[in-house]
Amino acid sequence: MKTWLGKLTRREQLAVIIAALTVVGLSLYLFYWQPVNAEQDRLRTHLAERIEALVRMQRAVEEVRQLRGEDRPTPQERTDESLLALVDRTARATLASGLNRLEPEGEHAVKVWLKEVNFDSLLPWLQELETAWGVQATGVSLHRGEQPGVVTGRLVLEEAAE
């Protein structure tokens, strides 16, 4: 290869090098960059559709409650269970091994670290905390995990003000 390239004139060598770099760059774009961007766009669209469906379902639940004449459910009373214990118990039951760490933040808030949690399990858990126990997510930072539909991140959960 070197001998063949050495036999070419300087202008031909430059043209061969530019052509090779163009082929390498185009190959990287077509076989790496474009598929990654396409998958990222697909996942963004999928997430937006899921969020839209969740909002529609929540509206439908409210409409059904209104038609039935029901008020919004009141949060259950916790006897002696602290917010930290409640979050720990419900997270372990719902999210299994995805609960990475819990840390109290004052008397009425808890920081939660999640690792590789199924997003489809996370949303109902947060909904249950809010509707059944009056605990709201006031801070959410989630990142896409290695597997599709899996997230890693942090939450701040606070008891709703009475």
Side-chain angles (χ1 to χ4, degrees):
M1 184 76 171
K2 267 188 171 180
T3 353
W4 173 78
L5 192 60
K7 290 180 182 178
L8 299 176
T9 65
R10 182 76 176 142
R11 176 180 263 179
E12 291 171 334
Q13 288 175 352
L14 188 58
V16 167
I17 290 171
I18 290 173
L21 289 175
T22 302
V23 167
V24 167
L26 189 59
S27 296
L28 283 174
Y29 174 78
L30 289 175
F31 297 112
Y32 177 74
W33 189 256
Q34 189 179 20
V36 167
N37 278 344
E39 180 67 10
Q40 189 176 25
D41 290 343
R42 186 190 70 76
L43 289 173
R44 277 192 186 120
T45 303
H46 183 69
L47 178 61
E49 289 169 354
R50 289 260 174 119
I51 290 172
E52 184 180 316
L54 176 63
V55 168
R56 271 186 282 135
M57 285 183 229
Q58 287 173 337
R59 285 184 188 145
V61 165
E62 288 302 318
E63 186 178 335
V64 167
R65 283 192 180 127
Q66 287 175 355
L67 291 173
R68 287 183 179 170
E70 297 176 5
D71 289 331
R72 186 165 178 86
T74 56
Q76 298 176 21
E77 290 294 320
R78 294 194 317 267
T79 51
D80 290 334
E81 189 175 37
S82 69
L83 176 62
L84 185 68
L86 171 71
V87 171
D88 183 54
R89 178 177 54 81
T90 58
R92 291 193 190 285
T94 307
L95 306 177
S97 61
L99 181 62
N100 195 20
R101 186 171 121 193
L102 287 174
E103 182 178 293
E105 186 164 290
E107 289 184 30
H108 304 286
V110 174
K111 285 184 182 177
V112 181
W113 281 263
L114 304 170
K115 185 172 184 183
E116 301 296 318
V117 172
N118 186 322
F119 188 72
D120 291 337
S121 300
L122 178 62
L123 288 181
W125 176 64
L126 290 173
Q127 183 69 31
E128 175 196 353
L129 284 174
E130 184 173 353
T131 57
W133 302 104
V135 176
Q136 297 177 334
T138 57
V140 178
S141 174
L142 298 175
H143 307 285
R144 185 174 63 183
E146 297 287 325
Q147 302 294 322
V150 172
V151 294
T152 296
R154 290 177 293 158
L155 306 170
V156 177
L157 303 174
E158 292 185 15
E159 291 179 304
E162 296 178 19

